[in-house]
PDB file of all heavy atoms in Angstrom:
ATOM      1  N   LEU A 237       0.767  -1.205  -0.094  1.00 91.00           N
ATOM      2  CA  LEU A 237       0.014   0.032  -0.013  1.00 91.00           C
ATOM      3  C   LEU A 237       0.877   1.259   0.052  1.00 91.00           C
ATOM      4  O   LEU A 237       0.547   2.267  -0.776  1.00 91.00           O
ATOM      5  CB  LEU A 237      -0.936   0.016   1.253  1.00 91.00           C
ATOM      6  CG  LEU A 237      -1.957   1.182   1.236  1.00 91.00           C
ATOM      7  CD1 LEU A 237      -3.017   1.165   0.088  1.00 91.00           C
ATOM      8  CD2 LEU A 237      -2.676   1.090   2.660  1.00 91.00           C
ATOM      9  N   GLU A 238       1.956   1.286   0.765  1.00 89.00           N
ATOM     10  CA  GLU A 238       2.806   2.464   0.863  1.00 89.00           C
ATOM     11  C   GLU A 238       3.581   2.578  -0.476  1.00 89.00           C
ATOM     12  O   GLU A 238       3.781   3.608  -0.902  1.00 89.00           O
ATOM     13  CB  GLU A 238       3.798   2.298   1.977  1.00 89.00           C
ATOM     14  CG  GLU A 238       3.108   2.377   3.428  1.00 89.00           C
ATOM     15  CD  GLU A 238       4.013   1.935   4.588  1.00 89.00           C
ATOM     16  OE1 GLU A 238       5.023   1.108   4.322  1.00 89.00           O
ATOM     17  OE2 GLU A 238       3.810   2.427   5.726  1.00 89.00           O
ATOM     18  N   ILE A 239       3.917   1.501  -1.071  1.00 88.00           N
ATOM     19  CA  ILE A 239       4.666   1.558  -2.291  1.00 88.00           C
ATOM     20  C   ILE A 239       3.750   2.100  -3.388  1.00 88.00           C
ATOM     21  O   ILE A 239       4.173   2.933  -4.154  1.00 88.00           O
ATOM     22  CB  ILE A 239       5.202   0.151  -2.717  1.00 88.00           C
ATOM     23  CG1 ILE A 239       6.293  -0.326  -1.828  1.00 88.00           C
ATOM     24  CG2 ILE A 239       5.790   0.230  -4.197  1.00 88.00           C
ATOM     25  CD1 ILE A 239       6.876  -1.785  -2.017  1.00 88.00           C
ATOM     26  N   GLY A 240       2.517   1.652  -3.391  1.00 89.00           N
ATOM     27  CA  GLY A 240       1.517   2.107  -4.436  1.00 89.00           C
ATOM     28  C   GLY A 240       1.268   3.623  -4.171  1.00 89.00           C
ATOM     29  O   GLY A 240       1.158   4.334  -5.248  1.00 89.00           O
ATOM     30  N   LYS A 241       1.323   4.098  -2.994  1.00 89.00           N
ATOM     31  CA  LYS A 241       0.967   5.553  -2.717  1.00 89.00           C
ATOM     32  C   LYS A 241       2.055   6.368  -3.198  1.00 89.00           C
ATOM     33  O   LYS A 241       1.817   7.269  -3.922  1.00 89.00           O
ATOM     34  CB  LYS A 241       0.831   5.597  -1.177  1.00 89.00           C
ATOM     35  CG  LYS A 241       0.626   7.105  -0.850  1.00 89.00           C
ATOM     36  CD  LYS A 241       0.492   7.366   0.678  1.00 89.00           C
ATOM     37  CE  LYS A 241       0.410   8.841   1.033  1.00 89.00           C
ATOM     38  NZ  LYS A 241       0.281   9.040   2.391  1.00 89.00           N
ATOM     39  N   VAL A 242       3.391   5.958  -2.904  1.00 87.00           N
ATOM     40  CA  VAL A 242       4.533   6.674  -3.442  1.00 87.00           C
ATOM     41  C   VAL A 242       4.487   6.601  -4.961  1.00 87.00           C
ATOM     42  O   VAL A 242       4.801   7.754  -5.495  1.00 87.00           O
ATOM     43  CB  VAL A 242       5.803   6.087  -2.800  1.00 87.00           C
ATOM     44  CG1 VAL A 242       7.008   6.799  -3.457  1.00 87.00           C
ATOM     45  CG2 VAL A 242       5.816   6.331  -1.197  1.00 87.00           C
ATOM     46  N   CYS A 243       4.327   5.553  -5.573  1.00 87.00           N
ATOM     47  CA  CYS A 243       4.527   5.452  -7.055  1.00 87.00           C
ATOM     48  C   CYS A 243       3.363   6.218  -7.752  1.00 87.00           C
ATOM     49  O   CYS A 243       3.595   6.916  -8.639  1.00 87.00           O
ATOM     50  CB  CYS A 243       4.388   3.942  -7.422  1.00 87.00           C
ATOM     51  SG  CYS A 243       5.705   2.995  -7.039  1.00 87.00           S
ATOM     52  N   GLU A 244       2.208   6.259  -7.158  1.00 88.00           N
ATOM     53  CA  GLU A 244       1.177   7.124  -7.594  1.00 88.00           C
ATOM     54  C   GLU A 244       1.318   8.662  -7.538  1.00 88.00           C
ATOM     55  O   GLU A 244       0.993   9.404  -8.473  1.00 88.00           O
ATOM     56  CB  GLU A 244      -0.242   6.651  -6.978  1.00 88.00           C
ATOM     57  CG  GLU A 244      -1.474   7.363  -7.498  1.00 88.00           C
ATOM     58  CD  GLU A 244      -2.678   7.122  -6.814  1.00 88.00           C
ATOM     59  OE1 GLU A 244      -2.674   6.136  -5.937  1.00 88.00           O
ATOM     60  OE2 GLU A 244      -3.838   7.652  -7.097  1.00 88.00           O
ATOM     61  N   GLU A 245       1.918   8.949  -6.347  1.00 87.00           N
ATOM     62  CA  GLU A 245       1.947  10.478  -6.153  1.00 87.00           C
ATOM     63  C   GLU A 245       3.276  11.140  -6.702  1.00 87.00           C
ATOM     64  O   GLU A 245       3.346  12.381  -6.989  1.00 87.00           O
ATOM     65  CB  GLU A 245       1.836  10.817  -4.724  1.00 87.00           C
ATOM     66  CG  GLU A 245       0.566  10.410  -4.040  1.00 87.00           C
ATOM     67  CD  GLU A 245       0.348  10.921  -2.595  1.00 87.00           C
ATOM     68  OE1 GLU A 245       1.096  11.885  -2.320  1.00 87.00           O
ATOM     69  OE2 GLU A 245      -0.468  10.334  -1.847  1.00 87.00           O
ATOM     70  N   THR A 246       4.197  10.265  -6.952  1.00 85.00           N
ATOM     71  CA  THR A 246       5.490  10.738  -7.473  1.00 85.00           C
ATOM     72  C   THR A 246       5.947  10.367  -8.877  1.00 85.00           C
ATOM     73  O   THR A 246       6.742  10.942  -9.544  1.00 85.00           O
ATOM     74  CB  THR A 246       6.754  10.374  -6.528  1.00 85.00           C
ATOM     75  OG1 THR A 246       6.791   8.903  -6.569  1.00 85.00           O
ATOM     76  CG2 THR A 246       6.451  10.793  -5.076  1.00 85.00           C
ATOM     77  N   GLY A 247       5.267   9.219  -9.279  1.00 86.00           N
ATOM     78  CA  GLY A 247       5.532   8.647 -10.587  1.00 86.00           C
ATOM     79  C   GLY A 247       6.901   7.835 -10.651  1.00 86.00           C
ATOM     80  O   GLY A 247       7.350   7.442 -11.644  1.00 86.00           O
ATOM     81  N   ILE A 248       7.448   7.514  -9.375  1.00 87.00           N
ATOM     82  CA  ILE A 248       8.600   6.596  -9.331  1.00 87.00           C
ATOM     83  C   ILE A 248       8.145   5.241  -9.894  1.00 87.00           C
ATOM     84  O   ILE A 248       7.148   4.684  -9.419  1.00 87.00           O
ATOM     85  CB  ILE A 248       9.178   6.642  -7.960  1.00 87.00           C
ATOM     86  CG1 ILE A 248       9.652   8.050  -7.426  1.00 87.00           C
ATOM     87  CG2 ILE A 248      10.219   5.631  -7.872  1.00 87.00           C
ATOM     88  CD1 ILE A 248      10.056   8.083  -6.040  1.00 87.00           C
ATOM     89  N   PRO A 249       8.902   4.651 -10.735  1.00 87.00           N
ATOM     90  CA  PRO A 249       8.634   3.393 -11.121  1.00 87.00           C
ATOM     91  C   PRO A 249       8.684   2.306  -9.937  1.00 87.00           C
ATOM     92  O   PRO A 249       9.507   2.364  -9.210  1.00 87.00           O
ATOM     93  CB  PRO A 249       9.758   2.983 -12.161  1.00 87.00           C
ATOM     94  CG  PRO A 249      10.237   4.330 -12.684  1.00 87.00           C
ATOM     95  CD  PRO A 249      10.138   5.242 -11.472  1.00 87.00           C
ATOM     96  N   GLU A 250       7.754   1.426  -9.938  1.00 87.00           N
ATOM     97  CA  GLU A 250       7.553   0.396  -8.855  1.00 87.00           C
ATOM     98  C   GLU A 250       8.841  -0.521  -8.776  1.00 87.00           C
ATOM     99  O   GLU A 250       9.312  -0.854  -7.793  1.00 87.00           O
ATOM    100  CB  GLU A 250       6.401  -0.295  -8.931  1.00 87.00           C
ATOM    101  CG  GLU A 250       6.119  -1.261  -7.832  1.00 87.00           C
ATOM    102  CD  GLU A 250       4.890  -2.021  -7.967  1.00 87.00           C
ATOM    103  OE1 GLU A 250       3.973  -1.479  -8.685  1.00 87.00           O
ATOM    104  OE2 GLU A 250       4.602  -3.088  -7.355  1.00 87.00           O
ATOM    105  N   ASP A 251       9.296  -0.772  -9.979  1.00 87.00           N
ATOM    106  CA  ASP A 251      10.553  -1.657  -9.901  1.00 87.00           C
ATOM    107  C   ASP A 251      11.696  -1.005  -9.283  1.00 87.00           C
ATOM    108  O   ASP A 251      12.527  -1.729  -8.622  1.00 87.00           O
ATOM    109  CB  ASP A 251      10.973  -1.908 -11.511  1.00 87.00           C
ATOM    110  CG  ASP A 251       9.888  -2.808 -12.074  1.00 87.00           C
ATOM    111  OD1 ASP A 251       9.077  -3.411 -11.369  1.00 87.00           O
ATOM    112  OD2 ASP A 251       9.914  -2.869 -13.386  1.00 87.00           O
ATOM    113  N   MET A 252      11.949   0.342  -9.390  1.00 87.00           N
ATOM    114  CA  MET A 252      12.957   1.008  -8.684  1.00 87.00           C
ATOM    115  C   MET A 252      12.828   0.804  -7.146  1.00 87.00           C
ATOM    116  O   MET A 252      13.855   0.569  -6.494  1.00 87.00           O
ATOM    117  CB  MET A 252      13.013   2.400  -9.097  1.00 87.00           C
ATOM    118  CG  MET A 252      13.577   2.693 -10.437  1.00 87.00           C
ATOM    119  SD  MET A 252      13.877   4.546 -10.735  1.00 87.00           S
ATOM    120  CE  MET A 252      14.731   4.339 -12.213  1.00 87.00           C
ATOM    121  N   ILE A 253      11.629   0.999  -6.687  1.00 87.00           N
ATOM    122  CA  ILE A 253      11.481   0.856  -5.187  1.00 87.00           C
ATOM    123  C   ILE A 253      11.718  -0.574  -4.720  1.00 87.00           C
ATOM    124  O   ILE A 253      12.339  -0.816  -3.651  1.00 87.00           O
ATOM    125  CB  ILE A 253      10.101   1.355  -4.772  1.00 87.00           C
ATOM    126  CG1 ILE A 253       9.892   2.818  -5.090  1.00 87.00           C
ATOM    127  CG2 ILE A 253       9.695   0.988  -3.364  1.00 87.00           C
ATOM    128  CD1 ILE A 253       8.540   3.213  -4.777  1.00 87.00           C
ATOM    129  N   LYS A 254      11.319  -1.563  -5.502  1.00 87.00           N
ATOM    130  CA  LYS A 254      11.376  -2.938  -5.140  1.00 87.00           C
ATOM    131  C   LYS A 254      12.789  -3.574  -5.248  1.00 87.00           C
ATOM    132  O   LYS A 254      13.084  -4.534  -4.757  1.00 87.00           O
ATOM    133  CB  LYS A 254      10.380  -3.839  -5.831  1.00 87.00           C
ATOM    134  CG  LYS A 254       8.917  -3.543  -5.508  1.00 87.00           C
ATOM    135  CD  LYS A 254       8.018  -4.504  -6.106  1.00 87.00           C
ATOM    136  CE  LYS A 254       6.465  -4.426  -5.590  1.00 87.00           C
ATOM    137  NZ  LYS A 254       5.567  -5.316  -6.218  1.00 87.00           N
ATOM    138  N   ALA A 255      13.622  -2.822  -6.028  1.00 83.00           N
ATOM    139  CA  ALA A 255      14.995  -3.194  -6.171  1.00 83.00           C
ATOM    140  C   ALA A 255      15.690  -3.337  -4.861  1.00 83.00           C
ATOM    141  O   ALA A 255      16.444  -4.220  -4.594  1.00 83.00           O
ATOM    142  CB  ALA A 255      15.757  -2.151  -7.051  1.00 83.00           C
ATOM    143  N   ALA A 256      15.508  -2.436  -3.986  1.00 82.00           N
ATOM    144  CA  ALA A 256      16.183  -2.464  -2.631  1.00 82.00           C
ATOM    145  C   ALA A 256      15.603  -3.365  -1.661  1.00 82.00           C
ATOM    146  O   ALA A 256      16.028  -3.556  -0.629  1.00 82.00           O
ATOM    147  CB  ALA A 256      16.250  -1.096  -2.070  1.00 82.00           C
ATOM    148  N   LEU A 257      14.438  -3.851  -2.098  1.00 87.00           N
ATOM    149  CA  LEU A 257      13.793  -4.829  -1.087  1.00 87.00           C
ATOM    150  C   LEU A 257      14.172  -6.336  -1.337  1.00 87.00           C
ATOM    151  O   LEU A 257      13.593  -7.142  -0.787  1.00 87.00           O
ATOM    152  CB  LEU A 257      12.256  -4.751  -1.246  1.00 87.00           C
ATOM    153  CG  LEU A 257      11.680  -3.253  -1.026  1.00 87.00           C
ATOM    154  CD1 LEU A 257      10.170  -3.378  -1.239  1.00 87.00           C
ATOM    155  CD2 LEU A 257      12.051  -2.810   0.334  1.00 87.00           C
ATOM    156  N   ASP A 258      15.130  -6.455  -2.226  1.00 83.00           N
ATOM    157  CA  ASP A 258      15.695  -7.727  -2.475  1.00 83.00           C
ATOM    158  C   ASP A 258      17.094  -7.839  -1.781  1.00 83.00           C
ATOM    159  O   ASP A 258      18.015  -7.010  -2.106  1.00 83.00           O
ATOM    160  CB  ASP A 258      15.867  -8.061  -3.948  1.00 83.00           C
ATOM    161  CG  ASP A 258      16.448  -9.400  -4.235  1.00 83.00           C
ATOM    162  OD1 ASP A 258      16.708 -10.147  -3.302  1.00 83.00           O
ATOM    163  OD2 ASP A 258      16.729  -9.767  -5.452  1.00 83.00           O
ATOM    164  N   GLU A 259      17.339  -8.710  -0.796  1.00 83.00           N
ATOM    165  CA  GLU A 259      18.455  -8.748  -0.029  1.00 83.00           C
ATOM    166  C   GLU A 259      19.715  -9.121  -0.885  1.00 83.00           C
ATOM    167  O   GLU A 259      20.887  -8.774  -0.544  1.00 83.00           O
ATOM    168  CB  GLU A 259      18.340  -9.785   1.109  1.00 83.00           C
ATOM    169  CG  GLU A 259      17.411  -9.358   2.185  1.00 83.00           C
ATOM    170  CD  GLU A 259      17.480 -10.417   3.373  1.00 83.00           C
ATOM    171  OE1 GLU A 259      18.280 -11.336   3.338  1.00 83.00           O
ATOM    172  OE2 GLU A 259      16.745 -10.157   4.421  1.00 83.00           O
ATOM    173  N   GLU A 260      19.464  -9.817  -2.023  1.00 83.00           N
ATOM    174  CA  GLU A 260      20.567 -10.155  -2.905  1.00 83.00           C
ATOM    175  C   GLU A 260      20.835  -9.169  -4.054  1.00 83.00           C
ATOM    176  O   GLU A 260      21.755  -9.425  -4.851  1.00 83.00           O
ATOM    177  CB  GLU A 260      20.284 -11.499  -3.634  1.00 83.00           C
ATOM    178  CG  GLU A 260      19.900 -12.583  -2.611  1.00 83.00           C
ATOM    179  CD  GLU A 260      21.124 -12.943  -1.670  1.00 83.00           C
ATOM    180  OE1 GLU A 260      22.209 -12.870  -2.081  1.00 83.00           O
ATOM    181  OE2 GLU A 260      20.787 -13.221  -0.484  1.00 83.00           O
ATOM    182  N   GLU A 261      20.047  -8.001  -3.967  1.00 85.00           N
ATOM    183  CA  GLU A 261      20.372  -6.878  -5.049  1.00 85.00           C
ATOM    184  C   GLU A 261      21.792  -6.407  -4.930  1.00 85.00           C
ATOM    185  O   GLU A 261      22.261  -6.081  -3.755  1.00 85.00           O
ATOM    186  CB  GLU A 261      19.379  -5.858  -4.810  1.00 85.00           C
ATOM    187  CG  GLU A 261      19.376  -4.802  -5.920  1.00 85.00           C
ATOM    188  CD  GLU A 261      18.792  -5.344  -7.270  1.00 85.00           C
ATOM    189  OE1 GLU A 261      17.981  -6.387  -7.156  1.00 85.00           O
ATOM    190  OE2 GLU A 261      18.973  -4.611  -8.215  1.00 85.00           O
ATOM    191  N   ARG A 262      22.526  -6.324  -6.008  1.00 88.00           N
ATOM    192  CA  ARG A 262      23.811  -5.791  -6.015  1.00 88.00           C
ATOM    193  C   ARG A 262      23.897  -4.281  -6.192  1.00 88.00           C
ATOM    194  O   ARG A 262      22.878  -3.743  -6.844  1.00 88.00           O
ATOM    195  CB  ARG A 262      24.737  -6.510  -7.084  1.00 88.00           C
ATOM    196  CG  ARG A 262      24.878  -7.953  -6.897  1.00 88.00           C
ATOM    197  CD  ARG A 262      25.716  -8.326  -5.797  1.00 88.00           C
ATOM    198  NE  ARG A 262      26.980  -7.620  -5.819  1.00 88.00           N
ATOM    199  CZ  ARG A 262      28.088  -8.156  -6.534  1.00 88.00           C
ATOM    200  NH1 ARG A 262      27.965  -9.316  -7.069  1.00 88.00           N
ATOM    201  NH2 ARG A 262      29.219  -7.419  -6.603  1.00 88.00           N
ATOM    202  N   ALA A 263      25.024  -3.654  -5.959  1.00 88.00           N
ATOM    203  CA  ALA A 263      25.085  -2.152  -6.055  1.00 88.00           C
ATOM    204  C   ALA A 263      25.114  -1.930  -7.449  1.00 88.00           C
ATOM    205  O   ALA A 263      25.952  -2.557  -8.262  1.00 88.00           O
ATOM    206  CB  ALA A 263      26.319  -1.698  -5.291  1.00 88.00           C
ATOM    207  N   HIS A 264      24.299  -0.909  -8.005  1.00 88.00           N
ATOM    208  CA  HIS A 264      24.334  -0.534  -9.356  1.00 88.00           C
ATOM    209  C   HIS A 264      23.687   0.788  -9.529  1.00 88.00           C
ATOM    210  O   HIS A 264      22.976   1.280  -8.684  1.00 88.00           O
ATOM    211  CB  HIS A 264      23.653  -1.633 -10.236  1.00 88.00           C
ATOM    212  CG  HIS A 264      22.237  -1.844 -10.044  1.00 88.00           C
ATOM    213  ND1 HIS A 264      21.583  -2.540  -8.902  1.00 88.00           N
ATOM    214  CD2 HIS A 264      21.176  -1.267 -10.688  1.00 88.00           C
ATOM    215  CE1 HIS A 264      20.341  -2.412  -8.990  1.00 88.00           C
ATOM    216  NE2 HIS A 264      19.922  -1.698 -10.085  1.00 88.00           N
ATOM    217  N   ILE A 265      23.646   1.219 -10.746  1.00 88.00           N
ATOM    218  CA  ILE A 265      23.027   2.527 -11.102  1.00 88.00           C
ATOM    219  C   ILE A 265      22.085   2.220 -12.301  1.00 88.00           C
ATOM    220  O   ILE A 265      22.513   1.570 -13.204  1.00 88.00           O
ATOM    221  CB  ILE A 265      23.952   3.538 -11.457  1.00 88.00           C
ATOM    222  CG1 ILE A 265      24.643   3.867 -10.141  1.00 88.00           C
ATOM    223  CG2 ILE A 265      23.273   4.849 -11.969  1.00 88.00           C
ATOM    224  CD1 ILE A 265      25.862   4.987 -10.511  1.00 88.00           C
ATOM    225  N   ASP A 266      20.821   2.710 -12.238  1.00 87.00           N
ATOM    226  CA  ASP A 266      19.834   2.494 -13.361  1.00 87.00           C
ATOM    227  C   ASP A 266      19.175   3.794 -13.493  1.00 87.00           C
ATOM    228  O   ASP A 266      18.807   4.610 -12.635  1.00 87.00           O
ATOM    229  CB  ASP A 266      18.922   1.465 -12.894  1.00 87.00           C
ATOM    230  CG  ASP A 266      18.022   0.977 -14.242  1.00 87.00           C
ATOM    231  OD1 ASP A 266      18.434   1.352 -15.343  1.00 87.00           O
ATOM    232  OD2 ASP A 266      16.984   0.387 -14.003  1.00 87.00           O
ATOM    233  N   ILE A 267      18.798   4.115 -14.861  1.00 86.00           N
ATOM    234  CA  ILE A 267      18.115   5.356 -15.198  1.00 86.00           C
ATOM    235  C   ILE A 267      16.734   4.922 -15.868  1.00 86.00           C
ATOM    236  O   ILE A 267      16.864   4.217 -16.814  1.00 86.00           O
ATOM    237  CB  ILE A 267      18.978   6.356 -16.106  1.00 86.00           C
ATOM    238  CG1 ILE A 267      20.246   6.700 -15.213  1.00 86.00           C
ATOM    239  CG2 ILE A 267      18.205   7.585 -16.445  1.00 86.00           C
ATOM    240  CD1 ILE A 267      21.252   7.544 -16.091  1.00 86.00           C
ATOM    241  N   ASP A 268      15.661   5.512 -15.557  1.00 83.00           N
ATOM    242  CA  ASP A 268      14.352   5.340 -16.234  1.00 83.00           C
ATOM    243  C   ASP A 268      13.688   6.652 -16.280  1.00 83.00           C
ATOM    244  O   ASP A 268      13.016   7.182 -15.290  1.00 83.00           O
ATOM    245  CB  ASP A 268      13.609   4.263 -15.317  1.00 83.00           C
ATOM    246  CG  ASP A 268      12.271   3.881 -16.091  1.00 83.00           C
ATOM    247  OD1 ASP A 268      12.033   4.481 -17.121  1.00 83.00           O
ATOM    248  OD2 ASP A 268      11.601   3.033 -15.597  1.00 83.00           O
ATOM    249  N   GLY A 269      13.658   7.245 -17.475  1.00 80.00           N
ATOM    250  CA  GLY A 269      13.054   8.570 -17.684  1.00 80.00           C
ATOM    251  C   GLY A 269      13.674   9.624 -16.761  1.00 80.00           C
ATOM    252  O   GLY A 269      14.899   9.862 -16.870  1.00 80.00           O
ATOM    253  N   ASP A 270      12.877  10.236 -16.015  1.00 83.00           N
ATOM    254  CA  ASP A 270      13.440  11.510 -15.236  1.00 83.00           C
ATOM    255  C   ASP A 270      13.971  10.906 -13.912  1.00 83.00           C
ATOM    256  O   ASP A 270      14.672  11.741 -13.191  1.00 83.00           O
ATOM    257  CB  ASP A 270      12.238  12.364 -14.848  1.00 83.00           C
ATOM    258  CG  ASP A 270      11.642  12.944 -16.131  1.00 83.00           C
ATOM    259  OD1 ASP A 270      12.404  13.188 -17.028  1.00 83.00           O
ATOM    260  OD2 ASP A 270      10.508  13.374 -16.155  1.00 83.00           O
ATOM    261  N   TYR A 271      13.861   9.523 -13.606  1.00 86.00           N
ATOM    262  CA  TYR A 271      14.294   9.051 -12.321  1.00 86.00           C
ATOM    263  C   TYR A 271      15.648   8.322 -12.413  1.00 86.00           C
ATOM    264  O   TYR A 271      15.835   7.473 -13.355  1.00 86.00           O
ATOM    265  CB  TYR A 271      13.233   8.194 -11.678  1.00 86.00           C
ATOM    266  CG  TYR A 271      12.186   8.914 -11.082  1.00 86.00           C
ATOM    267  CD1 TYR A 271      10.929   9.239 -11.895  1.00 86.00           C
ATOM    268  CD2 TYR A 271      12.219   9.512  -9.773  1.00 86.00           C
ATOM    269  CE1 TYR A 271       9.920   9.921 -11.326  1.00 86.00           C
ATOM    270  CE2 TYR A 271      11.210  10.268  -9.278  1.00 86.00           C
ATOM    271  CZ  TYR A 271      10.068  10.474 -10.040  1.00 86.00           C
ATOM    272  OH  TYR A 271       8.905  11.168  -9.416  1.00 86.00           O
ATOM    273  N   THR A 272      16.498   8.580 -11.522  1.00 87.00           N
ATOM    274  CA  THR A 272      17.791   7.818 -11.479  1.00 87.00           C
ATOM    275  C   THR A 272      17.731   7.010 -10.234  1.00 87.00           C
ATOM    276  O   THR A 272      17.483   7.394  -9.093  1.00 87.00           O
ATOM    277  CB  THR A 272      18.918   8.781 -11.399  1.00 87.00           C
ATOM    278  OG1 THR A 272      18.992   9.523 -12.693  1.00 87.00           O
ATOM    279  CG2 THR A 272      20.239   8.022 -11.320  1.00 87.00           C
ATOM    280  N   LEU A 273      18.202   5.654 -10.319  1.00 90.00           N
ATOM    281  CA  LEU A 273      18.301   4.780  -9.167  1.00 90.00           C
ATOM    282  C   LEU A 273      19.803   4.476  -8.889  1.00 90.00           C
ATOM    283  O   LEU A 273      20.494   4.012  -9.767  1.00 90.00           O
ATOM    284  CB  LEU A 273      17.454   3.481  -9.499  1.00 90.00           C
ATOM    285  CG  LEU A 273      17.748   2.339  -8.583  1.00 90.00           C
ATOM    286  CD1 LEU A 273      17.202   2.628  -7.222  1.00 90.00           C
ATOM    287  CD2 LEU A 273      17.117   0.980  -9.127  1.00 90.00           C
TER     288      LEU A 273
END
């Protein structure tokens, strides 16, 4: 619910938010439109 609220009000891609919710996610940089991860 919180992720959906942030995505809806800011336009942040949901995949960017969920990237940090994976303990095995490696350090990296990604760009999607106006947002940089």
Side-chain angles (χ1 to χ4, degrees):
L237 184 63
E238 291 171 337
I239 294 175
K241 177 182 178 180
V242 172
C243 293
E244 182 181 354
E245 297 189 24
T246 64
I248 297 176
E250 185 176 339
D251 292 343
M252 285 190 170
I253 295 179
K254 291 186 175 180
L257 302 180
D258 181 5
E259 292 185 2
E260 304 300 326
E261 188 74 17
R262 295 295 304 273
H264 69 280
I265 297 175
D266 190 18
I267 300 174
D268 186 352
D270 296 332
Y271 285 95
T272 300
L273 168 68

